[in-house]
Amino acid sequence: MTSESKREFTLRISQANPTEIIVITYEIVLVYFEDAKTALREEQTDAFKSAISRIQKCVSTLMESLDFKQEIAMRLMELYVYADREVAKASVRRKEEHLNNAEKVFQGLLPAFKEVSRQDERKAVMANAQTVYAGLTYGKNHLVENDISADWSTRGFRA
Amino acid sequence: MKINSNMTAVIAGNYLMRSELSLQSSTERLSSGYKLNSAKDNPAGYAISNYMRSQLQALEKANNNANNGISVIETAEGAVAEIQEMVQRLNELAVRAATGTMSDNDRKAIQEEVDGLTAEIERTAKETDFNTMPLLDGTFENKGYTNNVDVKVQYYSDDTRLGKYTFNIEPVKDANGNPLLDADGYYAGYTIPQADLDAFATNATVSYFESKGFTNDKNVIVESYSSDTKLGTYTFRIEEAKDNGGNVIGYTIDPKDDGLKNLTDEEVTVTPVGSDEMLIEAKDGTQLRLRIDSNNFTAPKEVEVKLSGLGVMEDGDHIIVKANDGTELHLKVNRDAFIDKTVIPPTTPPTLLASIPPVDVDLTGIGAMRLQIGANEGQILELSIPEISLEKMGIDKLDCTTKESARQAIRKIDYALSYTNTVRAKLGAYQNRLDHAIASLDITEENLTGSYSRIVDTDMAEEMTEYTRLQVMQQAGTTMLAQANEYPQKALQLLQ
């Protein structure tokens, strides 16, 4: 997870409705799966443990966001629990296959949630967040894309 | 090249940029995600929503804790399962090393694998952690203490009644009231008198480890004996068995031996089995198998054999106290406990005390991991995660380089296997309790128990994923309700 990805995710969250947040969570966890696999291949124990911990937090958040009044929540819960267990196995056995098994759950479900999020007409959860505009100003010798995004409050200055 | 001609939008954006105050509070709202941001916005509404928020947060935290608890258990259980597989493999190796047909070179190869496995077990146990907290090093185990450095509380179950107890520890005695000694001259076993057991738990009994008889010669082992064999102490004269050509083929005992006459009134047959075993049988069901280390034993020799019906382990005993109500306590008694330490220098065989002062045992119930699994005070689950280490399991010094040491190794590994079984059963019970806790935390009364174990393998997972994917798409409306996150700050936290 690079800082650029983090900024991107932050921006998307600020505009997201409840289902879109789920989609974003899925995408975040998939990034962490990649991080974990890379750390495993390069034998970086600390990075591996940190990635595992993050994956577990993501799965935990997804579990907590389930409303069991709907039956489909049970199906999702079973899959999350399975994934959780595989991740626990991966953290103990240090084998990539368990990470892959867990990852497949999220890869399989992501397209479905994307579809649902398109149909979700609820408004963004973060009220009064800025709406993001992108504008282009152009002149004789330059073309500047103006992007009022999440960190525009500093107007690009670092201080 | 992107050209966006939505000038009104750009102007609006610039306007926003110019207004400092509204910029500030909108940034605040961005990061908190709530419409009500400070009391000045809407005082009454803020107060109410604050209260609800803390209730919700408490419930969410409780749910989070319970979910974390499940992850903790799964991580621990995964590690213990791995370790148990390795202990099974150790068992196979020790059994192979203990057969007579191996050469010492073969045993060296086995010992190398044994050493590798024990190192790996140690590593797994030490490195298993959850969120940087070590799980299997005893940090989260309920602690127990004694006032005798040679007696240790090895383990006690959650159902055991906590508190301070006094146990008299005595050597195991034979039918005549004489303490049994092992081949090195230490007491062969320890027990606790029934009066102390009754004060501890109802109908508590002491169980021993499987091993059935002793001899006064390290090179002669009682392999097994039938339940019809008369218990007691006998002296047999073990001689070399020769075939018709005068070649030594094994060991035997003269049927007219006095010891055999004490063992049984019936006619006895002694049959050498292979080059190192002997089977003593009689019509009344007596059956006794002895094994002799042919490398170190010199026949003919008189050997004293005690058949006690009880058994102990090498390197200190485990006294296991159990009762029907789930009470289970393991004490480990170091065999130095009974050495007379005033005798200097120590003698061989050691000078033993007839008794030791009563041992105070304190089962504190402190140490377990506490999870707040309800929104209210007192809704706590405690997870006591037993320590897993080579020393705790008794397999820290496994030696398979000789047949005899391999046999002792088998007994040690037996305890390790039963210990890991106990630990796994305990973790499984916790998992069940957490299932129920989570189920009751949810607004509905749905029974979630099944969901924690239904998917068992990767094929099933793939099927379920595909099935659920279709369901999600077909039932978009209910999915939006079923899986939705209205708290963006939670999602933001995932990026930390």
Side-chain angles (χ1 to χ4, degrees):
Chain A
M1 173 78 70
T2 59
S3 10
E4 188 169 330
S5 310
K6 281 191 201 177
R7 277 204 292 276
E8 219 181 283
F9 281 124
T10 306
L11 175 58
R12 287 172 62 190
I13 291 171
S14 74
Q15 309 290 305
N17 68 36
T19 310
E20 279 165 353
I21 293 193
I22 301 293
V23 169
I24 295 167
T25 311
Y26 268 64
E27 293 187 17
I28 292 176
V29 82
L30 286 170
V31 171
Y32 287 143
F33 269 110
E34 280 312 308
D35 289 348
K37 290 202 275 192
T38 310
L40 197 57
R41 275 180 223 135
E42 294 172 9
E43 295 185 20
Q44 295 175 340
T45 318
D46 285 338
F48 177 67
K49 281 190 190 169
S50 155
I52 292 279
S53 172
R54 288 175 179 175
I55 293 174
Q56 284 171 328
K57 284 201 187 95
C58 290
V59 177
S60 203
T61 306
L62 286 168
M63 284 186 191
E64 285 157 23
S65 321
L66 286 169
D67 179 358
F68 290 97
K69 281 200 215 74
Q70 318 298 333
E71 201 230 321
I72 198 169
M74 292 283 284
R75 305 283 82 76
L76 290 167
M77 185 58 157
E78 285 171 14
L79 287 167
Y80 294 154
V81 167
Y82 167 77
D84 203 25
R85 200 172 284 134
E86 286 297 304
V87 170
K89 282 186 196 165
S91 87
V92 165
R93 294 182 194 182
R94 307 280 165 93
K95 291 213 184 100
E96 203 171 304
E97 83 175 271
H98 296 294
L99 288 175
N100 288 332
N101 291 342
E103 200 181 12
K104 276 191 207 146
V105 170
F106 298 100
Q107 283 168 338
L109 292 174
L110 177 59
F113 276 103
K114 275 190 177 156
E115 181 56 41
V116 173
S117 75
R118 266 178 233 127
Q119 299 179 30
D120 189 342
E121 286 169 356
R122 288 180 286 191
K123 286 191 288 204
V125 217
M126 284 176 118
N128 295 328
Q130 320 84 316
T131 317
V132 175
Y133 301 105
L136 207 60
T137 66
Y138 59 95
K140 213 150 68 150
N141 295 316
H142 64 266
L143 210 60
V144 173
E145 183 170 350
N146 231 351
D147 177 17
I148 308 173
S149 60
D151 59 358
W152 61 270
S153 52
T154 57
R155 292 174 294 160
F157 291 116
R158 303 290 171 95
Chain B
M1 182 162 82
K2 260 192 278 188
I3 300 178
N4 186 343
S5 59
N6 188 350
M7 285 313 295
T8 42
V10 175
I11 290 168
N14 282 336
Y15 191 84
L16 198 62
M17 213 173 7
R18 273 182 219 131
S19 165
E20 288 291 308
L21 262 174
S22 59
L23 184 160
Q24 259 183 25
S25 49
S26 87
T27 313
E28 265 179 66
R29 286 177 189 142
L30 184 78
S31 57
S32 71
Y34 285 117
K35 281 190 193 170
L36 290 180
N37 201 62
S38 65
K40 66 171 160 52
D41 287 344
N42 179 349
Y46 188 64
I48 294 170
S49 77
N50 228 6
Y51 171 75
M52 278 177 58
R53 198 179 352 153
S54 71
Q55 267 291 332
L56 270 174
Q57 277 177 350
L59 271 176
E60 275 161 33
K61 195 82 183 93
N63 208 350
N64 204 7
N65 285 343
N67 275 325
N68 275 341
I70 298 241
S71 294
V72 163
I73 303 284
E74 286 176 1
T75 308
E77 212 258 336
V80 177
E82 278 286 294
I83 290 174
Q84 200 172 39
E85 269 180 40
M86 290 190 265
V87 175
Q88 305 270 25
R89 176 77 187 136
L90 283 173
N91 197 29
E92 285 171 24
L93 291 170
V95 166
R96 270 182 34 209
T99 59
T101 50
M102 287 233 135
S103 76
D104 277 344
N105 267 336
D106 293 334
R107 290 204 187 91
K108 268 205 203 103
I110 288 185
Q111 184 64 35
E112 269 176 36
E113 194 177 339
V114 165
D115 290 338
L117 282 168
T118 49
E120 182 61 16
I121 290 175
E122 176 116 28
R123 184 203 70 79
T124 306
K126 282 210 175 99
E127 289 189 13
T128 301
D129 68 5
F130 182 81
N131 210 9
T132 77
M133 293 182 301
L135 291 182
L136 297 179
D137 67 347
T139 307
F140 293 109
E141 185 174 22
N142 272 334
K143 309 284 188 286
Y145 304 101
T146 77
N147 64 348
N148 184 327
V149 75
D150 290 316
V151 178
K152 285 201 169 68
V153 175
Q154 173 88 332
Y155 165 81
Y156 56 96
S157 67
D158 288 349
D159 292 322
T160 307
R161 213 178 51 195
L162 304 174
K164 298 196 166 91
Y165 302 96
T166 306
F167 293 118
N168 285 291
I169 300 195
E170 307 171 339
V172 165
K173 301 189 169 95
D174 66 13
N176 296 327
N178 297 319
L180 291 171
L181 297 175
D182 67 10
D184 291 329
Y186 291 89
Y187 287 135
Y190 306 99
T191 183
I192 295 172
Q194 194 63 40
D196 292 346
L197 294 176
D198 290 335
F200 175 57
T202 327
N203 293 326
T205 53
V206 179
S207 64
Y208 296 94
F209 214 55
E210 288 267 337
S211 161
K212 301 228 172 117
F214 308 93
T215 74
N216 66 347
D217 186 325
K218 248 198 274 223
N219 302 312
V220 179
I221 303 274
V222 175
E223 178 70 21
S224 65
Y225 54 91
S226 67
S227 44
D228 292 321
T229 312
K230 201 170 72 176
L231 301 179
T233 309
Y234 310 98
T235 309
F236 301 125
R237 187 179 156 83
I238 300 181
E239 304 171 335
E240 281 173 342
K242 296 200 173 95
D243 66 10
N244 292 331
N247 300 315
V248 173
I249 53 163
Y251 297 97
T252 185
I253 300 173
D254 187 331
K256 294 197 217 70
D257 189 299
D258 284 335
L260 289 178
K261 289 214 189 72
N262 289 335
L263 179 65
T264 172
D265 296 327
E266 299 282 334
E267 201 182 305
V268 173
T269 49
V270 180
T271 325
V273 177
S275 61
D276 60 350
E277 273 190 31
M278 203 171 11
L279 180 58
I280 300 164
E281 283 175 305
K283 272 200 219 102
D284 60 359
T286 301
Q287 208 184 63
L288 169 61
R289 237 182 218 269
L290 294 176
R291 192 178 329 101
I292 295 130
D293 183 353
S294 41
N295 290 331
N296 291 322
F297 184 77
T298 332
K301 191 165 176 200
E302 301 240 325
V303 174
E304 194 179 80
V305 175
K306 291 182 199 77
L307 306 180
S308 65
L310 302 166
V312 297
M313 254 178 43
E314 277 266 325
D315 291 353
D317 281 19
H318 291 81
I319 304 180
I320 299 172
V321 180
K322 278 189 184 168
N324 285 342
D325 57 4
T327 300
E328 190 170 330
L329 169 65
H330 297 210
L331 291 175
K332 187 168 173 178
V333 181
N334 190 323
R335 62 185 193 170
D336 287 346
F338 278 80
I339 287 190
D340 188 347
K341 298 186 175 94
T342 63
V343 172
I344 299 166
T347 57
T348 312
T351 314
L352 298 174
L353 299 165
S355 66
I356 56 172
V359 178
D360 292 329
V361 175
D362 185 4
L363 304 181
T364 59
I366 295 170
M369 184 189 285
R370 303 182 98 212
L371 297 177
Q372 181 80 36
I373 52 163
N376 306 315
E377 198 187 329
Q379 290 173 319
I380 291 177
L381 183 65
E382 291 199 345
L383 306 177
S384 171
I385 305 178
E387 179 187 337
I388 305 264
S389 64
L390 296 177
E391 203 198 17
K392 214 54 191 281
M393 294 193 284
I395 53 172
D396 51 330
K397 296 186 211 104
L398 283 181
D399 181 8
C400 292
T401 52
T402 72
K403 218 171 7 174
E404 292 321 311
S405 58
R407 289 187 187 281
Q408 284 157 18
I410 293 176
R411 280 166 23 203
K412 294 184 193 185
I413 293 167
D414 265 344
Y415 179 78
L417 277 174
S418 81
Y419 185 74
T420 51
N421 270 335
T422 306
V423 172
R424 285 186 83 179
K426 191 172 187 181
L427 293 175
Y430 282 139
Q431 216 152 10
N432 285 337
R433 285 171 68 184
L434 279 169
D435 283 355
H436 290 297
I438 292 178
S440 66
L441 282 172
D442 267 306
I443 301 166
T444 68
E445 295 276 318
E446 290 287 350
N447 185 357
L448 293 178
T449 317
S451 65
Y452 280 87
S453 54
R454 215 173 280 156
I455 302 182
V456 282
D457 61 23
T458 52
D459 290 333
M460 206 176 162
E462 276 180 39
E463 289 288 334
M464 273 307 285
T465 306
E466 180 58 22
Y467 173 76
T468 310
R469 186 181 70 84
L470 291 169
Q471 254 201 323
V472 162
M473 290 205 290
Q474 282 166 9
Q475 303 176 20
T478 40
T479 303
M480 284 180 221
L481 298 172
Q483 171 90 94
N485 188 349
E486 291 174 19
Y487 300 104
Q489 71 273 35
K490 277 209 190 149
L492 287 172
Q493 269 168 28
L494 299 175
L495 295 168
Q496 295 316 315

